[in-house]
Amino acid sequence: MSTALVEAVNAALATVIDPELRRPITELGMVDSVEISDAGTVRLAVLLTIAGCPLRDTITRDSEAALLAVPGVTAVDVDLKVMTQAQRDALKERLRGPGGQRGIPFNQPGSLTKVFAVASGKGGVGKSSVTVNLACSLAAQGLRVGIVDADVYGFSVPALMGITQQPTRVDDMILPPVAYGVKVISIGMFVTGNQPVAWRGPMLHRALEQFLTDVYFGDLDVLFLDLPPGTGDIAISVAQLLPKAEILVVTTPQAAAADVAERAGAIATQTGQTVAGVIENMSYLEMPDGGRMALFGSGGGQSLTERLSAATGTDVPLLGQIPLDILLREGGDSGQPIVLGRPETPAAAALSGIAGQLAAKPRGLTGMSLGLQPR
């Protein structure tokens, strides 16, 4: 067997990405053995994290495709095995660091993840749709993105993303489902059907804490938290668990909606957080003649930025105005965000423009170690 073929096979395997962990199977220690016959048949043994891995067929298919593309490989036989407890422990340590310790990785001094808590004063302003489309737009640009659906009572992110798969549990570590390149976790993935969640404050805090500690997101560029409306338990818990999270306030142009949304943003004055900006949704309806109909009034977003700027003592920008579009609603119902399904529409363009501003926003060096030593 030529050394060149062996090297080519190993290189091909390094391109096979685990669909949940989003890292090469070779890097994760999932390749148990590789045998190449003189006739060019490759026999590959892959170690799955658990016996019931929901994406085992994807791993098999991707491995076969990568290997069959290697010149000299005539056939591929993939054998799926299951990791031992020792191998799972080694995987967790590889992912989480020495000891496989738990904690909130986004609070670590070296974390470069931008964390945005998407808030609103009231429900029905399209906060979740905005969150999903911003996340998908950034992921389409090549960024590593995650969403925590923190709206425990009114969870909707899985449906908006078309996710029906449950998270995979590897002992005390949870692997979130991935859709459109975005890693997502939601309480909706753990309930049966449309069962309501009736929890008090401490249970809400514990659920959010578990999402942030037990769920393995990996190295993210951006993490979105879809908050419930208002300034209740979850908003306070986010400030405690992720003190560096910046708040994005979603409102409609209606004056009454902007008044309520001001409270969601002004909470930053009590928690010490930053308001990253205001997003005005349902700003207008484009008419066939090119005109615009302001169904919900106008000026709410701009007025809100001025009031929040005064309240926080910082410049709070109006990041964008998203028009009403039936395709935005249809994309949510079908689980295909409009920024991906119909990127040419005005609503998708507005959302992508906002995402671009968030991507360009500097992470900042507050609390980070620069690795400098006095001499």
Side-chain angles (χ1 to χ4, degrees):
M1 183 59 54
S2 70
T3 303
L5 180 57
V6 173
E7 292 177 349
V9 165
N10 290 332
L13 288 175
T15 67
V16 179
I17 306 298
D18 180 88
E20 292 178 305
L21 295 170
R22 311 300 288 179
R23 288 168 64 173
I25 60 174
T26 51
E27 183 180 317
L28 296 170
M30 295 175 65
V31 176
D32 186 46
S33 63
V34 183
E35 297 178 1
I36 308 173
S37 72
D38 293 336
T41 298
V42 177
R43 291 182 174 83
L44 169 67
V46 177
L47 297 173
L48 302 178
T49 53
I50 59 173
C53 177
L55 298 177
R56 55 192 299 134
D57 292 341
T58 301
I59 295 174
T60 299
R61 184 172 58 252
D62 291 351
S63 298
E64 290 175 344
L67 292 173
L68 287 172
V70 176
V73 173
T74 58
V76 176
D77 180 16
V78 180
D79 180 23
L80 299 180
K81 300 181 178 181
V82 181
M83 288 184 176
T84 64
Q85 185 60 55
Q87 290 168 329
R88 279 195 294 272
D89 290 342
L91 173 64
K92 289 187 293 182
E93 184 165 340
R94 186 179 290 112
L95 295 174
R96 288 176 167 173
Q101 70 273 16
R102 299 165 64 185
I104 301 179
F106 312 109
N107 288 338
Q108 297 301 315
S111 175
L112 296 176
T113 304
K114 302 175 187 176
V115 182
F116 296 109
V118 186
S120 68
K122 57 187 293 184
V125 299
K127 170 180 53 61
S128 297
S129 294
V130 168
T131 300
V132 163
N133 277 279
L134 291 178
C136 289
S137 179
L138 289 172
Q141 297 176 35
L143 275 68
R144 297 163 296 183
V145 186
I147 298 177
V148 171
D149 186 357
D151 193 349
V152 174
Y153 297 141
F155 55 85
S156 59
V157 172
L160 293 172
M161 298 283 284
I163 297 174
T164 57
Q165 173 195 340
Q166 289 188 328
T168 299
R169 291 179 177 270
V170 181
D171 299 332
D172 63 347
M173 186 170 66
I174 300 173
L175 306 182
V178 181
Y180 307 112
V182 179
K183 297 182 177 181
V184 181
I185 194 68
S186 170
I187 197 66
M189 299 171 181
F190 300 92
V191 300
T192 303
N194 203 28
Q195 178 184 350
V197 178
W199 289 350
R200 292 186 182 274
M203 294 182 68
L204 297 174
H205 180 92
R206 176 57 186 145
L208 179 59
E209 185 177 32
Q210 189 170 5
F211 281 165
L212 295 173
T213 56
D214 292 356
V215 177
Y216 178 77
F217 284 101
D219 295 327
L220 296 182
D221 295 304
V222 181
L223 175 68
F224 288 98
L225 290 96
D226 183 24
L227 305 187
T231 57
D233 293 297
I234 289 292
I236 297 171
S237 292
V238 168
Q240 294 175 338
L241 297 170
L242 293 168
K244 297 176 184 177
E246 299 183 53
I247 300 173
L248 291 172
V249 184
V250 179
T251 185
T252 63
Q254 187 177 4
D259 288 341
V260 179
E262 181 180 0
R263 302 169 202 158
I267 195 174
T269 60
Q270 301 178 35
T271 62
Q273 294 171 289
T274 299
V275 180
V278 171
I279 299 171
E280 186 184 88
N281 195 24
M282 310 180 195
S283 296
Y284 53 85
L285 177 65
E286 291 203 347
M287 306 301 291
D289 62 1
R292 295 179 174 180
M293 179 182 293
L295 292 177
F296 297 105
S298 62
Q302 184 59 47
S303 172
L304 180 57
T305 62
E306 294 170 359
R307 283 183 279 177
L308 288 177
S309 295
T312 61
T314 60
D315 180 23
V316 177
L318 178 61
L319 296 173
Q321 296 173 295
I322 306 166
L324 279 163
D325 195 328
I326 192 172
L327 295 175
L328 179 57
R329 190 270 303 166
E330 290 178 346
D333 288 344
S334 66
Q336 184 179 47
I338 192 173
V339 293
L340 303 177
R342 296 296 297 273
E344 77 283 358
T345 60
L351 286 159
S352 296
I354 296 169
Q357 294 179 67
L358 297 180
K361 188 177 178 62
R363 163 62 174 79
L365 299 177
T366 303
M368 292 184 61
S369 172
L370 300 181
L372 302 178
Q373 300 290 333
R375 298 185 62 182

